[in-house]
Amino acid sequence: MSGKNLILCLSMASIILSCNSKEKNFKSAIDSISQADLSNHISILASDDFQGRAPSTLGEERTIQYLEDQFAKIGLKPGNGDSFFQEVSLVKISADKQMKFNIKSKKREFNLVFSEEFVGGTPQLSEQVNFDNSEIIFVGYGINAPEHNWNDYQDLDVKGKTVLMLVNDPGYATSDSTLFEGRTMTFYGRWTYKFEEAARQGATAAIIIHETGAAAYPWGVVQGSWNESKFYLANNMLSKSDLYLQSWVTTECAKSLFVSSGLDYDKTIASASLRGFKPVKMNMTASAHINNRVEYTKSNNVAALWPGKSKQDEYLIYTAHWDHLGINPMFGEDTILNGAVDNATGTAALLEIAQAFATLAKTQDRSILFLAVTCEEQGLLGSEFYTLNPLFPLEKTVGVINMDGLNILGRTKDMTITGMGKSTLDGYAISVLEKQGRYVCPDPTPEKGGYFRSDHFSFAKVGVPTLYLSKGIDNLEHGKEWGLAQNESWTKENYHKPSDSYDPARWDFHGMVEDVKVYFEIGFAIASAK
């Protein structure tokens, strides 16, 4: 054999050995993701001992301590200097459920009953909040969107007044693709936007009419979310505004108000979806008297770092919210909202993926930050706080992979990208799934506004590429219709209720394990990409 041929053979052998080594390295890491580990983490995080993982409670203390212990055991470094915790400054406002909310028309007076007819509270940092005889104006969807040539507040002064509005946006009601994004909810359809816009306009009170289809959840979810204390970031804009009340009313209550005002409910709300809609004076006034308990408190994001090698100063972030809704007496005998699916599953996946990266024999190029955020259930507050106070530069953050509510229904042929087409990271998910003989589908129910309801959105708002990849609906055994029906049923029966509890006898972990491996492989590809 000539010298050249010998060198060529040795080079080929070296390449083959290197490829085999890389494959073996990756295989051992991905195989470390197991049902046993996921199940164990979920059972602990969703146990009654963790009391529903509400922020600023004993449940938080136990949760973040568990996460710190597990990340340290895996071998990750603290993500915030020498600490695994990023303190989040909060204001906790607890409104008296006996608050008086009164609406008067010329024909009738309504003394609304908390929880049954309305829920609400105030963002004001005061022990007593009162306003009287505030004129009520129906402002359609309460949207000011210049890029859609739509402004429900056009030529309208609502300072000192109460605005009544619909949830979602005009495209949902009409299915007209020329209005906003048709049936796909935009950010303008979210209740958080509507309260903020009312505050920017100078309104004294804002009332959203609840409709189950448009809101994407039944009245019970609104009751549960607003029955206890509400959290706000310290120095938030709502508390600095003149908005005294943010509230929801039931559809039935709203219809009664329209009748008393002499308006046809169906015709009036239909007109709100048409271009040229003009706000409607209800010939009614609202008054409210609220007693508050205001507490300045804190919660914590949990941040764990797995440093990279050749591009250590660039970061990929995996996010999942650790918090849930704590203990709520309104549910009767079982008062603990354990949040097993939402989101003990995603939090467990953080730990499993961290373990997989730590199993790699060779370190990936970019650094990985595992970020378990707080107060997602309060309006994405923990992730918003991180983007305002990043532990690592956002301009050096190449992407965010978010995990929220994983698959408990078995293996699927697909996975869902919520917000498909909005991010440069979509291609990584498509590539990994295709390699496994699976496929990506867009959100099958975009009218529910899922893109704006989880923590990736806080990063998307500040320009960081994000991927919100979630469970598929094309069940390997039962098909798409079954999968979609099961998801709808679970939301109706368990979402934000005590019944979202760990149930290994009914859960099928096979799909969850496959999906978590996909999250890992996508992250590995991004962390290693040139």
Side-chain angles (χ1 to χ4, degrees), residues 27-48:
K27 187 176 187 307
S28 63
I30 202 166
D31 286 349
S32 71
I33 296 170
S34 70
Q35 175 178 330
D37 287 346
L38 285 167
S39 177
N40 180 58
H41 291 312
I42 295 167
S43 68
I44 293 170
L45 291 164
S47 68
D48 285 354

Side-chain angles (χ1 to χ4, degrees), residues 86 233-234 381-391 394 458 462:
Q86 180 187 35
L233 289 179
L381 301 186
S383 53
E384 180 182 352
F385 184 87
Y386 181 92
T387 63
L388 295 171
N389 306 274
L391 299 177
L394 294 179
S458 295
V462 296

Side-chain angles (χ1 to χ4, degrees), residues 252-468:
E252 294 73 20
C253 178
K255 288 181 176 179
S256 296
L257 296 178
F258 275 74
V259 169
S260 183
S261 186
L263 297 169
D264 184 293
Y265 177 79
D266 292 328
K267 287 183 179 179
T268 306
I269 66 168
S271 70
S273 301
L274 304 176
R275 289 198 180 278
F277 165 79
K278 300 295 182 184
V280 179
K281 292 185 177 182
M282 299 287 290
N283 298 314
M284 291 179 142
T285 60
S287 303
H289 302 275
I290 307 169
N291 293 319
N292 284 325
R293 186 173 72 254
V294 180
E295 303 171 66
Y296 293 88
T297 185
K298 63 182 179 63
S299 185
N300 293 273
N301 292 330
V302 183
L305 184 68
W306 186 247
K309 193 175 181 182
S310 62
K311 299 178 181 178
Q312 191 175 87
D313 65 341
E314 296 182 13
Y315 303 88
L316 170 68
I317 303 178
Y318 280 96
T319 53
H321 71 92
W322 62 255
D323 68 300
H324 199 55
L325 298 170
I327 299 172
N328 192 333
M330 72 165 276
F331 288 102
E333 189 173 335
D334 185 1
T335 61
I336 300 177
L337 290 93
N338 301 95
V341 173
D342 182 19
N343 185 33
T345 57
T347 308
L350 273 185
L351 296 172
E352 274 298 89
I353 294 169
Q355 177 65 62
F357 273 100
T359 303
L360 288 169
K362 293 184 179 179
T363 306
Q364 77 292 336
D365 293 333
R366 293 182 174 87
S367 297
I368 314 289
L369 182 67
F370 295 90
L371 187 64
V373 294
T374 184
C375 288
E376 188 267 0
E377 303 289 12
Q378 302 292 328
L380 316 184
L381 301 186
S383 53
E384 180 182 352
F385 184 87
Y386 181 92
T387 63
L388 295 171
N389 306 274
L391 299 177
F392 302 98
L394 294 179
E395 63 269 20
K396 289 286 190 176
T397 302
V398 299
V400 170
I401 299 173
N402 184 52
M403 300 175 293
D404 191 352
L406 304 193
N407 179 9
I408 61 170
L409 298 174
R411 298 173 65 199
T412 59
K413 298 176 184 178
D414 63 333
M415 288 187 76
T416 298
I417 294 181
T418 301
M420 190 169 177
K422 296 182 184 294
S423 171
T424 53
L425 301 187
D426 290 358
Y428 287 95
I430 293 168
S431 176
V432 168
L433 284 163
E434 281 182 349
K435 192 167 67 174
Q436 297 181 3
R438 301 173 69 190
Y439 66 95
V440 162
C441 69
D443 185 357
T445 54
E447 70 276 7
K448 294 183 177 181
Y451 181 71
F452 312 105
R453 292 168 57 182
S454 197
D455 291 297
H456 64 283
F457 184 60
S458 295
F459 291 89
K461 284 198 296 185
V462 296
V464 177
T466 64
L467 178 65
Y468 182 22

Side-chain angles (χ1 to χ4, degrees), residues 12-30 309 359-363 524:
M12 290 298 294
S14 176
I15 291 169
I16 292 169
L17 287 171
S18 175
C19 290
N20 289 340
S21 175
K22 287 180 180 179
E23 289 176 6
K24 185 177 179 181
N25 176 39
F26 178 78
K27 187 176 187 307
S28 63
I30 202 166
K309 193 175 181 182
T359 303
L360 288 169
K362 293 184 179 179
T363 306
F524 180 81

Side-chain angles (χ1 to χ4, degrees), residues 456-485:
H456 64 283
F457 184 60
S458 295
F459 291 89
K461 284 198 296 185
V462 296
V464 177
T466 64
L467 178 65
Y468 182 22
L469 185 68
S470 59
K471 58 185 175 291
I473 59 167
D474 192 356
N475 185 271
L476 203 62
E477 183 178 354
H478 303 288
K480 289 182 182 179
E481 290 187 9
W482 181 90
L484 191 57

Side-chain angles (χ1 to χ4, degrees), residues 28 34 77 105 125 146 165 181 188 194 206-207 216 232 245 257 259 334 367 371 398 445 481 483 486:
S28 63
S34 70
K77 295 182 177 181
S105 71
L125 309 180
M165 67 195 86
E181 294 182 17
Y188 295 111
K194 294 175 187 292
I207 307 171
Y232 301 85
L245 175 70
L257 296 178
V259 169
D334 185 1
S367 297
L371 187 64
V398 299
T445 54
E481 290 187 9
Q486 289 296 308

